[in-house]
Amino acid sequence: MRKVVLHAPGDVRVEDVERPTIVEPTDAVIRLAATCICGSDLWPYRGADEVPQPQPMGHEYCGVVEEIGADVRTLEVGQFVVGSFFASDGTCEICLSGYQTGCVHRQPGAPTGAQAEYARIPLADGTLVATPGQPDADLIPSLLAASDVLGTGWFGSVAAEAGPGKTVAVVGDGAVGLCAVLAARQLGAERVILFSRHADRQALGREFGATDIVEERGEEGVAKVKEMTGGLGAHSVVEAVGTHESMHQAIGSTRAGGHVGFVGVLHDVAITGDDIFTTHVHLHGGPAPVRRFLPDLIRLIWDRTIDPGKVFDLTLPIEQAAEGYRAMDERRATKVLLTL
Amino acid sequence: MRKVVLHAPGDVRVEDVERPTIVEPTDAVIRLAATCICGSDLWPYRGADEVPQPQPMGHEYCGVVEEIGADVRTLEVGQFVVGSFFASDGTCEICLSGYQTGCVHRQPGAPTGAQAEYARIPLADGTLVATPGQPDADLIPSLLAASDVLGTGWFGSVAAEAGPGKTVAVVGDGAVGLCAVLAARQLGAERVILFSRHADRQALGREFGATDIVEERGEEGVAKVKEMTGGLGAHSVVEAVGTHESMHQAIGSTRAGGHVGFVGVLHDVAITGDDIFTTHVHLHGGPAPVRRFLPDLIRLIWDRTIDPGKVFDLTLPIEQAAEGYRAMDERRATKVLLTL
């Protein structure tokens, strides 16, 4: 089968390798319907994360169950499933409380790599969610988005307590930020402000439900949101970047007693007592427990209520994965879908 | 009237001064029933905060309305009232959302000082809550505690989402921490773990509802709480100290998806992305919006359901205020009540 392997920063290759097989009796092997490149894949691609040896890439996936281990109880061969970037047992106290990405048996969701024709998924019963049937082809991009960027943006909006009557601001106009806009609107937010300087992302943000766009950043961006909210700030702010500056833009844009939901992987962020004490903000986030939301997200996609697949603005065959990485690295694409 | 004034670090004097009078039409002047010394009063006393000029002390108060300004609508002379350390208008969006300490018109609750026979209270309608009648003398310490330490500990437990079925841990065995224990139990917590090394505070903690005591601190304390909670940590942790170490002890003691409620005034605390991202903890706290809780707290005290006045372990006449400060500074007393 074909599989994307990163040999060194910038060196993406598509190789022909053996299909993965069942290792643990709780595993499943799935045949992917499509796969994609994540913003976080750019860290090793750019050399910001080390690449000590060739590594399989990708952690977003949906597809058909090809094989199941002897202990898999809830899935059948032939079902169409969606999973996420962490595998979880679904039975521990942390999973039951809705934090599957904090599962006591947490492990990578697709350890063999998901930019491939087939992938092994551990803890299949706890990790995979079956769709109501075989999806129409046009639903595949959205189901794939549910696997990470939609689930992550959704968690950001839930963590920020987006809801009816609320003004929600979203820091970050990448695929996750755009999905947070979509989530905020679905959760009933009255007003959704997207920080964005890119016309194409602004347009998709508006399509997903943004009511206002703010082009300013940092202190100027904060001042703009305050001005738009009677001097108070937004009730809910989603942080979908992960830098020190974006986190502080998020905290600064939040009103006293408001909520910051952060889902950008935090890099070199420092928060002091002053940032969180007199400001009365709530802080909550981390690796999104996408599994918590998958049943609802699949239903919304199946019913064609939402179309998060629109975040894919470039589709390439997997053979051209290297060009996909280049396009995202050079910001020519927001998110790349790879067909198999 | 008599009033406590700090002239320089360590130099506490009781002076005879004019009674405060109405300045703004929204003011009230109250005759205090009793007053007390707060742990935070020790910052300038110890020279950790500067004392550039003699300053009136105290911010906890309850007593009888003596005089009201022309615009005060909801209070009458003669009513017994409790207020808090910040005055709030009670009408802005932030007050209405329950964050009166973030009120857009926030100001000190007793700008003339509350360690005094009389005090001027700004924004009286929004700040003061009347009791159902004149309290019996034995209720005064508890009503005074409601003004700050009880309200602050209560907010800590609410911010930590203490509730039925939850295990709550409390970092800090001062008056606020002990009141957080009382609050957690009143809010229905199943198990309340108090970090404490002092026999007298452990005893009051147990009286207030602590089910377990942990004497270890730092990493050892965290390990102990994990051991007591199946390796997961507490659902809810109240931070009632405010140091870098205690904040990290609180975060470390919290399970994935759990809540830290911090009410210790944060000093030199640094939080990184790693502390809050993969841990999935919720962080919320700040200056307690005591006003939100006062109606409930007054009722619980009035009905003799709770007796938070027990945090006062030394009572002195106001003339001996200097000795009260010394006793708290030398940790001979947890909290000192001054009679008038």
Side-chain angles (χ1 to χ4, degrees), chain B residues 16 24 57 68 76 84 124 149 157 170 180 183 185 187 238 279 331:
Chain B
D16 195 32
E24 299 291 333
M57 298 297 290
I68 54 173
E76 289 173 19
S84 186
V149 288
S157 278
V170 177
R185 211 54 196 274
L187 292 165
V238 181
T279 61
R331 293 179 176 272

PDB file of all heavy atoms in Angstrom, chain B residues 16 24 57 68 76 84 124 149 157 170 180 183 185 187 238 279 331:
ATOM      1  N   ASP B  16      -7.825  58.409  67.461  1.00  0.00           N
ATOM      2  CA  ASP B  16      -9.161  58.970  67.632  1.00  0.00           C
ATOM      3  C   ASP B  16      -9.362  59.990  66.511  1.00  0.00           C
ATOM      4  O   ASP B  16      -8.614  60.981  66.433  1.00  0.00           O
ATOM      5  CB  ASP B  16      -9.254  59.648  69.005  1.00  0.00           C
ATOM      6  CG  ASP B  16     -10.709  59.920  69.381  1.00  0.00           C
ATOM      7  OD1 ASP B  16     -11.585  59.118  68.969  1.00  0.00           O
ATOM      8  OD2 ASP B  16     -10.961  60.932  70.047  1.00  0.00           O
ATOM      9  N   GLU B  24     -20.514  60.825  48.459  1.00  0.00           N
ATOM     10  CA  GLU B  24     -21.337  60.702  47.250  1.00  0.00           C
ATOM     11  C   GLU B  24     -22.767  60.357  47.674  1.00  0.00           C
ATOM     12  O   GLU B  24     -22.975  59.686  48.691  1.00  0.00           O
ATOM     13  CB  GLU B  24     -20.806  59.572  46.349  1.00  0.00           C
ATOM     14  CG  GLU B  24     -19.390  59.771  45.862  1.00  0.00           C
ATOM     15  CD  GLU B  24     -19.275  60.911  44.868  1.00  0.00           C
ATOM     16  OE1 GLU B  24     -20.289  61.208  44.184  1.00  0.00           O
ATOM     17  OE2 GLU B  24     -18.191  61.521  44.797  1.00  0.00           O
ATOM     18  N   MET B  57      -6.652  50.887  57.915  1.00  0.00           N
ATOM     19  CA  MET B  57      -6.584  49.453  57.649  1.00  0.00           C
ATOM     20  C   MET B  57      -7.970  48.805  57.706  1.00  0.00           C
ATOM     21  O   MET B  57      -8.889  49.314  58.320  1.00  0.00           O
ATOM     22  CB  MET B  57      -5.652  48.782  58.672  1.00  0.00           C
ATOM     23  CG  MET B  57      -4.208  49.276  58.610  1.00  0.00           C
ATOM     24  SD  MET B  57      -3.397  48.925  57.023  1.00  0.00           S
ATOM     25  CE  MET B  57      -3.213  47.138  57.124  1.00  0.00           C
ATOM     26  N   ILE B  68     -27.520  57.427  55.181  1.00  0.00           N
ATOM     27  CA  ILE B  68     -27.474  57.079  53.757  1.00  0.00           C
ATOM     28  C   ILE B  68     -27.497  58.343  52.909  1.00  0.00           C
ATOM     29  O   ILE B  68     -28.045  59.376  53.324  1.00  0.00           O
ATOM     30  CB  ILE B  68     -28.646  56.154  53.319  1.00  0.00           C
ATOM     31  CG1 ILE B  68     -30.002  56.763  53.707  1.00  0.00           C
ATOM     32  CG2 ILE B  68     -28.502  54.763  53.914  1.00  0.00           C
ATOM     33  CD1 ILE B  68     -31.193  55.978  53.153  1.00  0.00           C
ATOM     34  N   GLU B  76     -32.189  51.223  54.548  1.00  0.00           N
ATOM     35  CA  GLU B  76     -32.739  52.193  55.505  1.00  0.00           C
ATOM     36  C   GLU B  76     -31.825  52.307  56.708  1.00  0.00           C
ATOM     37  O   GLU B  76     -31.182  51.322  57.093  1.00  0.00           O
ATOM     38  CB  GLU B  76     -34.117  51.722  56.007  1.00  0.00           C
ATOM     39  CG  GLU B  76     -35.192  51.824  54.948  1.00  0.00           C
ATOM     40  CD  GLU B  76     -36.502  51.189  55.424  1.00  0.00           C
ATOM     41  OE1 GLU B  76     -36.655  51.012  56.649  1.00  0.00           O
ATOM     42  OE2 GLU B  76     -37.315  50.854  54.555  1.00  0.00           O
ATOM     43  N   SER B  84     -18.668  43.855  51.300  1.00  0.00           N
ATOM     44  CA  SER B  84     -17.416  43.171  51.000  1.00  0.00           C
ATOM     45  C   SER B  84     -16.318  44.161  50.658  1.00  0.00           C
ATOM     46  O   SER B  84     -16.500  45.368  50.733  1.00  0.00           O
ATOM     47  CB  SER B  84     -17.620  42.161  49.876  1.00  0.00           C
ATOM     48  OG  SER B  84     -16.429  41.418  49.688  1.00  0.00           O
ATOM     49  N   ALA B 124     -23.732  51.980  47.930  1.00  0.00           N
ATOM     50  CA  ALA B 124     -24.351  51.181  48.997  1.00  0.00           C
ATOM     51  C   ALA B 124     -25.422  50.225  48.475  1.00  0.00           C
ATOM     52  O   ALA B 124     -25.488  49.068  48.897  1.00  0.00           O
ATOM     53  CB  ALA B 124     -24.937  52.108  50.068  1.00  0.00           C
ATOM     54  N   VAL B 149     -13.551  36.171  54.256  1.00  0.00           N
ATOM     55  CA  VAL B 149     -12.951  34.826  54.206  1.00  0.00           C
ATOM     56  C   VAL B 149     -13.951  33.742  53.821  1.00  0.00           C
ATOM     57  O   VAL B 149     -13.619  32.831  53.061  1.00  0.00           O
ATOM     58  CB  VAL B 149     -12.225  34.444  55.524  1.00  0.00           C
ATOM     59  CG1 VAL B 149     -10.929  35.247  55.632  1.00  0.00           C
ATOM     60  CG2 VAL B 149     -13.101  34.616  56.743  1.00  0.00           C
ATOM     61  N   SER B 157     -14.465  27.296  46.132  1.00  0.00           N
ATOM     62  CA  SER B 157     -15.108  25.992  45.925  1.00  0.00           C
ATOM     63  C   SER B 157     -16.064  26.014  44.736  1.00  0.00           C
ATOM     64  O   SER B 157     -16.176  25.023  44.007  1.00  0.00           O
ATOM     65  CB  SER B 157     -15.848  25.556  47.203  1.00  0.00           C
ATOM     66  OG  SER B 157     -14.923  24.970  48.103  1.00  0.00           O
ATOM     67  N   VAL B 170      -8.151  20.994  49.128  1.00  0.00           N
ATOM     68  CA  VAL B 170      -7.967  22.410  49.452  1.00  0.00           C
ATOM     69  C   VAL B 170      -6.507  22.636  49.838  1.00  0.00           C
ATOM     70  O   VAL B 170      -6.008  22.023  50.788  1.00  0.00           O
ATOM     71  CB  VAL B 170      -8.900  22.843  50.595  1.00  0.00           C
ATOM     72  CG1 VAL B 170      -8.636  24.303  50.971  1.00  0.00           C
ATOM     73  CG2 VAL B 170     -10.366  22.652  50.190  1.00  0.00           C
ATOM     74  N   ALA B 180     -13.202  27.305  52.579  1.00  0.00           N
ATOM     75  CA  ALA B 180     -13.407  26.555  51.332  1.00  0.00           C
ATOM     76  C   ALA B 180     -13.817  25.121  51.645  1.00  0.00           C
ATOM     77  O   ALA B 180     -14.638  24.530  50.927  1.00  0.00           O
ATOM     78  CB  ALA B 180     -12.133  26.576  50.479  1.00  0.00           C
ATOM     79  N   ALA B 183     -17.389  25.278  52.556  1.00  0.00           N
ATOM     80  CA  ALA B 183     -18.189  25.503  51.337  1.00  0.00           C
ATOM     81  C   ALA B 183     -18.321  24.221  50.527  1.00  0.00           C
ATOM     82  O   ALA B 183     -19.406  23.864  50.062  1.00  0.00           O
ATOM     83  CB  ALA B 183     -17.545  26.607  50.490  1.00  0.00           C
ATOM     84  N   ARG B 185     -18.228  21.212  51.423  1.00  0.00           N
ATOM     85  CA  ARG B 185     -19.155  20.271  52.045  1.00  0.00           C
ATOM     86  C   ARG B 185     -20.598  20.730  51.883  1.00  0.00           C
ATOM     87  O   ARG B 185     -21.491  19.928  51.575  1.00  0.00           O
ATOM     88  CB  ARG B 185     -18.797  20.109  53.537  1.00  0.00           C
ATOM     89  CG  ARG B 185     -19.130  18.739  54.067  1.00  0.00           C
ATOM     90  CD  ARG B 185     -18.470  17.675  53.177  1.00  0.00           C
ATOM     91  NE  ARG B 185     -18.997  16.336  53.356  1.00  0.00           N
ATOM     92  CZ  ARG B 185     -18.576  15.480  54.280  1.00  0.00           C
ATOM     93  NH1 ARG B 185     -17.617  15.810  55.110  1.00  0.00           N
ATOM     94  NH2 ARG B 185     -19.103  14.278  54.358  1.00  0.00           N
ATOM     95  N   LEU B 187     -21.708  22.466  49.480  1.00  0.00           N
ATOM     96  CA  LEU B 187     -22.055  22.323  48.064  1.00  0.00           C
ATOM     97  C   LEU B 187     -22.242  20.862  47.679  1.00  0.00           C
ATOM     98  O   LEU B 187     -22.555  20.544  46.541  1.00  0.00           O
ATOM     99  CB  LEU B 187     -20.963  22.971  47.186  1.00  0.00           C
ATOM    100  CG  LEU B 187     -20.869  24.505  47.289  1.00  0.00           C
ATOM    101  CD1 LEU B 187     -19.553  25.018  46.693  1.00  0.00           C
ATOM    102  CD2 LEU B 187     -22.049  25.175  46.584  1.00  0.00           C
ATOM    103  N   VAL B 238      -9.077  23.669  45.408  1.00  0.00           N
ATOM    104  CA  VAL B 238      -9.113  25.090  45.751  1.00  0.00           C
ATOM    105  C   VAL B 238      -7.708  25.522  46.155  1.00  0.00           C
ATOM    106  O   VAL B 238      -7.067  24.870  46.978  1.00  0.00           O
ATOM    107  CB  VAL B 238     -10.082  25.371  46.917  1.00  0.00           C
ATOM    108  CG1 VAL B 238     -10.107  26.866  47.235  1.00  0.00           C
ATOM    109  CG2 VAL B 238     -11.480  24.863  46.575  1.00  0.00           C
ATOM    110  N   THR B 279      -2.691  18.664  30.629  1.00  0.00           N
ATOM    111  CA  THR B 279      -3.345  18.323  31.899  1.00  0.00           C
ATOM    112  C   THR B 279      -4.859  18.485  31.836  1.00  0.00           C
ATOM    113  O   THR B 279      -5.568  17.942  32.693  1.00  0.00           O
ATOM    114  CB  THR B 279      -2.840  19.234  33.029  1.00  0.00           C
ATOM    115  OG1 THR B 279      -3.170  20.588  32.688  1.00  0.00           O
ATOM    116  CG2 THR B 279      -1.338  19.104  33.209  1.00  0.00           C
ATOM    117  N   ARG B 331       2.014  33.953  63.653  1.00  0.00           N
ATOM    118  CA  ARG B 331       1.203  32.742  63.480  1.00  0.00           C
ATOM    119  C   ARG B 331       0.704  32.163  64.804  1.00  0.00           C
ATOM    120  O   ARG B 331       0.464  30.966  64.918  1.00  0.00           O
ATOM    121  CB  ARG B 331       1.977  31.667  62.696  1.00  0.00           C
ATOM    122  CG  ARG B 331       2.230  32.076  61.267  1.00  0.00           C
ATOM    123  CD  ARG B 331       3.022  31.034  60.499  1.00  0.00           C
ATOM    124  NE  ARG B 331       3.168  31.411  59.093  1.00  0.00           N
ATOM    125  CZ  ARG B 331       2.301  31.120  58.136  1.00  0.00           C
ATOM    126  NH1 ARG B 331       1.204  30.446  58.426  1.00  0.00           N
ATOM    127  NH2 ARG B 331       2.512  31.509  56.900  1.00  0.00           N
TER     128      ARG B 331
END
